[in-house]
């Protein structure tokens, strides 16, 4: 092949990736490996295509090959970290973070990112060591306090608490700092049994976060109304058969107990716990438009639904490795598109978890969510309104999807674990295993 032919075929493969045709792109890219001498740019695009297909292991291997040629390429290293994290390759992820730190030793972010990863895999001591060193060097970085306190239970009089309280009174502290530090101090106060201090910090932190990311209740209501209008035809296409991959959507308000429900189902030998994947709603928005522009189900043909279902299955394979059997998906907000889920993924089971709204509200109010997400979470009144809105959405689908939604109360599950677990396993379409 001439250099011009290689360039033209490479551009064609990139266009196929953009057009959501990763299998075809991968086939083209493979033919370019030999004539290009295994160019890292081609291997990187192969990794992108493999990621879109859902083959995380092959994508990670391709990214590792690219890093051999381009060891300092931060974007490639970041993609490799994400891939190996999904695969559970802890040693490789640690090594990649160490490479990022070595490449930029004076910047906080690579070390903070590694600490957060260590917390996720349960190495709290390792995370604490990193975060305390960072705070010693940068005591004004309020996010580091919140990250550190999240993985610790501080005792009264801990020097770290004294440092946070001193910083709390600094008149230069902005809303971002007050948000981060307020959540950290609230947890520290609760850990120490100083309950009279907790809400003072929480109120200040949530007020600051609300200023940084205001909540618009009218926009929420308009979004739901648009989604409900668009999902006006719920019958699967004639002849539609259940797929080899059988999703079980487990949803509820944040902090309602969806994780416990997913863990129970995921303990079954024929099920895989996927966690909060988010592919169903994300791919719906990408392919059919956001709420107010969503293509109505009545105007979607089988090809539209197949494309969305394929994108969903690719995402599930990427995150879990599963291509068949039961996979739980506990994505928050999936209730917005239960109609699309029922029509586009025949045989899917849906489980909704309810919990005492007081417990949900308090837990949400105490929790720091990434800025810009869950904007309602900074006021107890708006949290209550969000719970009512969620219940109304579930009511809407219960009437339109009779027999397809199994509802469970968290309190009932805790009070009678075996009875409710048996019902959950049956609702997931599985046989009971002791």
């Amino acid at each position: 092949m001439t250099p011009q032919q290689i360039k033209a075929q490479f551009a064609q493969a990139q266009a196929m990736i953009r057009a959501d045709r990763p299998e075809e792109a991968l086939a083209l890219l493979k033919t370019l490996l030999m004539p290009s001498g295994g160019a890292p740019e081609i291997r990187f695009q192969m990794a992108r295509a493999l990621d879109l297909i859902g083959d995380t292991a092959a994508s990670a291997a391709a990214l590792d090959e690219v890093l051999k040629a381009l060891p300092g390429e931060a974007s490639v290293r970041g993609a490799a970290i994400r891939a190996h994290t999904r695969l559970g390759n802890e040693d490789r992820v640690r090594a990649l973070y160490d490479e990022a730190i070595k490449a930029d030793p004076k910047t906080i972010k690579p070390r903070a990112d590694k600490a957060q990863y260590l917390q996720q895999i349960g190495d709290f001591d390792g995370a604490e060591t990193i975060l305390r060193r960072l705070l010693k060097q940068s005591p004004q970085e309020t996010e580091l306090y919140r990250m550190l306190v999240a993985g610790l239970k501080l005792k009264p009089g801990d020097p770290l608490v004294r440092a946070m309280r001193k910083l709390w009174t600094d008149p230069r502290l902005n809303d971002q700092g007050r948000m981060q530090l307020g959540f950290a101090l609230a947890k520290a106060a609760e850990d120490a049994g100083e309950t009279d201090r907790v809400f003072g910090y929480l109120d200040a932190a949530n007020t600051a976060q609300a200023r940084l990311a205001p909540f618009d209740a009218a926009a929420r209501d308009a979004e739901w109304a648009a989604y409900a209008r668009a999902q006006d035809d719920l019958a699967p296409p004639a002849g539609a058969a259940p797929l080899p991959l059988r999703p079980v959507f487990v949803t509820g308000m944040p902090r309602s107990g969806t994780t416990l429900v997913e863990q129970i189902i995921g303990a079954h030998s024929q099920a895989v716990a996927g966690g909060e994947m988010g592919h169903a709603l994300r791919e719906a928005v990408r392919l059919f438009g956001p709420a107010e522009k969503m293509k109505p189900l009545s105007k979607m043909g089988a090809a539209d639904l197949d494309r969305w279902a394929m994108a969903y299955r690719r995402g599930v394979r990427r995150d879990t490795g599963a291509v068949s059997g039961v996979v739980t998906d506990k994505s928050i907000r999936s209730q917005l598109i239960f109609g699309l889920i029922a029509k586009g993924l025949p045989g899917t089971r849906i489980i909704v978890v309810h919990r005492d709204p007081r417990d949900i509200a308090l837990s949400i109010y105490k929790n720091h969510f990434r800025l810009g997400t869950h904007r309602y979470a900074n006021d107890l009144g708006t949290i209550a309104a969000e719970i009512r809105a969620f219940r109304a959405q579930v009511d809407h689908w219960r009437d339109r999807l009779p027999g397809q939604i199994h509802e469970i109360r968290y309190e009932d599950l805790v009070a009678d674990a075996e009875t409710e677990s048996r019902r959950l396993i049956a609702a997931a379409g599985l046989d009971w295993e002791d």
Side-chain angles (χ1 to χ4, degrees):
M1 295 180 73
T2 66
Q4 291 77 14
Q5 288 173 322
I6 293 174
K7 184 176 180 180
Q9 190 163 313
F10 181 64
Q12 185 182 3
Q14 288 180 298
M16 286 177 172
I17 290 174
R18 291 193 295 271
D20 200 26
R21 295 159 59 191
E23 291 89 354
E24 296 170 69
L26 185 61
L28 279 181
L29 291 165
K30 284 181 177 178
T31 66
L32 294 176
L33 279 176
M34 187 174 292
S36 70
E41 294 84 358
I42 290 172
R43 291 190 183 278
F44 181 67
Q45 294 303 321
M46 287 178 63
R48 287 186 61 204
L50 287 161
D51 185 68
L52 288 173
I53 291 169
D55 193 342
T56 300
S59 179
L63 290 166
D64 285 345
E65 288 297 318
V66 177
L67 286 173
K68 290 178 183 177
L70 303 171
E73 190 62 45
S75 61
V76 179
R77 188 190 303 113
I81 286 173
R82 291 189 292 274
H84 283 289
T85 298
R86 287 198 293 269
L87 292 169
N89 296 337
E90 294 180 8
D91 290 343
R92 180 61 178 142
V93 175
R94 288 173 187 259
L96 287 165
Y97 275 122
D98 289 341
E99 290 173 14
I101 292 167
K102 185 177 180 181
D104 197 0
K106 294 184 179 180
T107 302
I108 290 174
K109 190 176 186 307
R111 289 175 285 172
D113 287 346
K114 181 181 180 181
Q116 190 170 42
Y117 171 72
L118 293 178
Q119 287 181 333
Q120 290 170 359
I121 64 173
D123 184 0
F124 294 103
D125 291 340
E128 181 182 355
T129 298
I130 293 172
L131 291 170
R132 284 192 182 275
R133 286 175 180 169
L134 284 174
L135 279 169
K136 191 172 182 180
Q137 298 166 15
S138 304
Q140 302 300 313
E141 291 291 337
T142 53
E143 186 174 6
L144 297 175
Y145 291 104
R146 184 187 57 76
M147 292 174 62
L148 178 55
V149 171
L152 291 176
K153 186 168 184 177
L154 299 176
K155 297 178 180 179
D158 188 294
L160 185 66
V161 176
R162 291 199 298 271
M164 288 193 292
R165 287 178 178 170
K166 181 179 179 181
L167 188 56
W168 185 251
T169 63
D170 191 328
R172 296 169 296 178
L173 195 65
N174 60 17
D175 279 341
Q176 182 73 235
R178 197 159 295 281
M179 173 188 70
Q180 301 285 356
L181 203 57
F183 284 112
L185 280 165
K187 182 180 181 299
E190 187 171 10
D191 288 345
E194 299 172 341
T195 53
D196 58 319
R197 293 177 176 266
V198 172
F199 267 87
Y201 293 128
L202 280 180
D203 291 344
N206 278 295
T207 298
Q209 185 158 332
R211 283 195 292 265
L212 293 168
F215 174 60
D216 187 342
R220 175 203 59 207
D221 294 341
E223 177 189 50
W224 163 241
Y227 272 125
R229 285 194 303 271
Q231 296 171 89
D232 56 349
D233 179 5
L234 307 181
L243 302 167
L245 184 76
R246 295 194 292 125
V248 175
F249 283 83
V250 179
T251 196
M253 285 292 295
R255 323 303 290 180
S256 63
T258 55
T259 298
L260 175 60
V261 169
E262 182 185 53
Q263 286 175 338
I264 290 169
I265 299 171
H268 197 284
S269 65
Q270 297 177 33
V272 175
E276 198 169 326
M277 294 185 286
H279 303 305
L281 182 57
R282 183 163 50 247
E283 292 299 335
V285 171
R286 182 176 71 86
L287 295 173
F288 307 132
E292 68 279 2
K293 297 179 180 178
M294 184 178 178
K295 186 176 182 178
L297 290 187
S298 58
K299 295 182 179 180
M300 289 186 195
D304 293 318
L305 294 171
D306 287 347
R307 188 181 180 198
W308 173 76
M310 174 64 77
Y312 177 77
R313 294 199 304 272
R314 286 170 177 166
V316 172
R317 180 188 177 191
R318 187 196 72 184
D319 288 355
T320 69
V323 294
S324 62
V326 170
V327 177
T328 57
D329 182 338
K330 74 175 201 78
S331 300
I332 299 296
R333 303 185 80 228
S334 60
Q335 81 279 356
L336 295 175
I337 55 165
F338 277 173
L340 174 61
I341 288 169
K343 183 166 184 170
L345 297 171
T348 292
R349 306 298 180 99
I350 297 172
I351 297 172
V352 175
V353 186
H354 298 289
R355 189 180 184 184
D356 189 312
R358 294 166 297 183
D359 289 325
I360 291 176
L362 178 59
S363 187
I364 287 175
Y365 194 68
K366 288 166 54 179
N367 191 69
H368 169 72
F369 295 99
R370 182 168 55 85
L371 190 64
T373 64
H374 302 288
R375 289 173 180 248
Y376 61 86
N378 303 126
D379 177 84
L380 290 169
T382 57
I383 293 171
E386 191 73 14
I387 295 171
R388 287 195 297 271
F390 171 80
R391 289 178 172 179
Q393 291 160 16
V394 174
D395 291 345
H396 172 90
W397 293 122
R398 187 192 304 110
D399 294 340
R400 288 160 179 79
L401 298 170
Q404 295 189 54
I405 298 175
H406 175 78
E407 297 178 75
I408 183 172
R409 286 185 55 80
Y410 174 80
E411 291 80 7
D412 294 341
L413 177 59
V414 173
D416 189 354
E418 181 168 343
T419 298
E420 295 300 327
S421 294
R422 285 181 178 274
R423 290 174 179 165
L424 280 176
I425 295 303
L430 295 165
D431 294 327
W432 177 257
E433 294 176 340
D434 285 340

